[in-house]
Amino acid sequence: MNKLKHLAIIMDGNGRWAQKNSLPRTEGHRKGASVVREIVTHCREIGIEALTLYAFSEENWGRPKDEVSALMELLLEFMTKERITMLENNIHFNPIGTLEKLPDFLKKTLFDLEKETSVNAIMDLNIALSYSGRQDILNAIKKTISQINFDMSFIDEAMFSKNLSTHSCGGDVDLLIRTGGDFRISNFLLWESAYAELFFEKKLWPEFTSDDLDSIIQNFSQRDRRFGLVKNL
Ligand code: IPE
Ligand code: IPE
Ligand code: MG
């Protein structure tokens, strides 16, 4: 049985769910936020050590202004409502991405919550905001260069990984799930997913349940993770 330590989810399909139910896209995001709540609680219960959720990509800044604002408001609402749950359940809230770009009204709550929960050690909840996997790798390259004093021989994978935003909060992804029926990574944890097991779920994110997650985890636990090796020799 494979051990699932770091689970990453591309929560896609809010807009299509809204369309299907003749609602504005923002209502899809609202319903999506309630699923986030359910899934975070469930992951905490089943002992996942790190959960990384793709909430807003660098590319998503290009969406209509109203939709972007609604997403930022929802995020604030989520943090406000879930603060106590995170404190009580020993969850470390860790936002990752180009956070400087986020609106000021959000940043304070975001950083305060990160600080307040930073001693919590049972589960890391990484929320990817204004996130781009390529950008994260570029940032890590810049940091690495500043640390090596021009001696390239110091650079190896372990050293480089320490400069990624997921370092100490999950690192390598074991299982990457994308809801919404598309088969792509959309610039999510590019380095960290090098050997992740991938699962593409047809259901749209607002329809996703903890039972769905359990069956995906069951599937994951039975997979033969070979990591390039030959088994049973
Ligand atoms: C995912 O749902 C949420 C974000 C990207 C913020 P979408 O809004 O992308 O939903 P679809 O893909 O249009 O259905
Ligand atoms: C990926 O979904 C980003 C998030 C879930 C936050 P998108 O809907 O933005 O991705 P594409 O456009 O299908 O690649
Ligand atoms: Mg989408």
Side-chain angles (χ1 to χ4, degrees):
M1 272 244 302
N2 298 314
K3 171 99 179 89
L4 175 52
K5 285 189 184 166
H6 187 183
L7 168 66
I9 309 181
I10 302 174
M11 310 180 291
D12 195 26
N14 293 350
R16 277 163 286 164
W17 180 86
Q19 197 176 26
K20 214 167 87 172
N21 292 281
S22 314
L23 293 165
R25 286 180 65 86
T26 48
E27 285 310 303
H29 296 311
R30 181 168 292 283
K31 181 77 172 69
S34 71
V35 176
V36 173
R37 239 165 264 143
E38 177 185 336
I39 296 301
V40 169
T41 307
H42 190 62
C43 286
R44 170 67 180 78
E45 279 165 9
I46 61 176
I48 302 247
E49 290 172 23
L51 171 65
T52 305
L53 299 176
Y54 207 3
F56 191 81
S57 74
E58 184 67 46
E59 291 77 16
N60 290 151
W61 287 116
R63 292 192 178 196
K65 244 180 153 187
D66 287 358
E67 182 171 347
V68 172
S69 313
L71 281 164
M72 298 297 145
E73 292 288 345
L74 272 173
L75 190 67
L76 183 69
E77 204 178 303
F78 175 82
M79 289 188 292
T80 314
K81 278 191 182 161
E82 298 308 297
R83 181 177 161 270
I84 296 293
T85 316
M86 289 187 219
L87 291 170
E88 285 178 355
N89 289 284
N90 218 325
I91 298 172
H92 170 214
F93 177 83
N94 182 45
I96 59 170
T98 310
L99 306 174
E100 311 85 77
K101 278 192 162 184
L102 296 168
D104 289 337
F105 77 88
L106 201 63
K107 272 191 271 194
K108 183 168 164 29
T109 315
L110 200 72
F111 295 133
D112 284 352
L113 188 57
E114 200 282 318
K115 217 168 161 190
E116 222 181 346
T117 60
S118 60
V119 290
N120 293 354
I122 298 284
M123 183 171 96
D124 289 308
L125 172 61
N126 303 312
I127 301 280
L129 293 167
S130 188
Y131 179 88
S132 149
R134 284 186 172 179
Q135 190 56 53
D136 206 45
I137 290 172
L138 278 180
N139 292 341
I141 290 173
K142 288 178 194 168
K143 274 191 209 157
T144 306
I145 290 172
S146 73
Q147 292 162 348
I148 57 164
N149 205 12
F150 300 103
D151 186 348
M152 302 292 176
S153 64
F154 281 119
I155 305 178
D156 62 17
E157 290 187 13
M159 187 243 178
F160 181 78
S161 311
K162 285 194 182 125
N163 289 323
L164 292 168
S165 60
T166 51
H167 165 67
S168 77
C169 291
D172 284 350
V173 172
D174 296 301
L175 171 63
L176 173 63
I177 301 172
R178 182 183 185 126
T179 61
D182 285 310
F183 302 94
R184 55 178 170 265
I185 303 295
S186 300
N187 205 5
F188 199 30
L189 307 162
L190 299 179
W191 174 283
E192 296 88 336
S193 299
Y195 249 110
E197 292 298 320
L198 306 179
F199 198 101
F200 296 97
E201 163 67 50
K202 242 184 164 170
K203 271 195 183 178
L204 305 168
W205 178 251
E207 297 165 340
F208 193 70
T209 65
S210 29
D211 284 345
D212 295 325
L213 179 57
D214 284 342
S215 31
I216 295 172
I217 293 175
Q218 173 63 23
N219 174 297
F220 162 83
S221 68
Q222 307 296 331
R223 289 191 187 180
D224 189 9
R225 300 188 83 189
R226 291 186 294 280
F227 297 100
L229 306 179
V230 179
K231 280 269 180 77
N232 306 322
L233 275 185

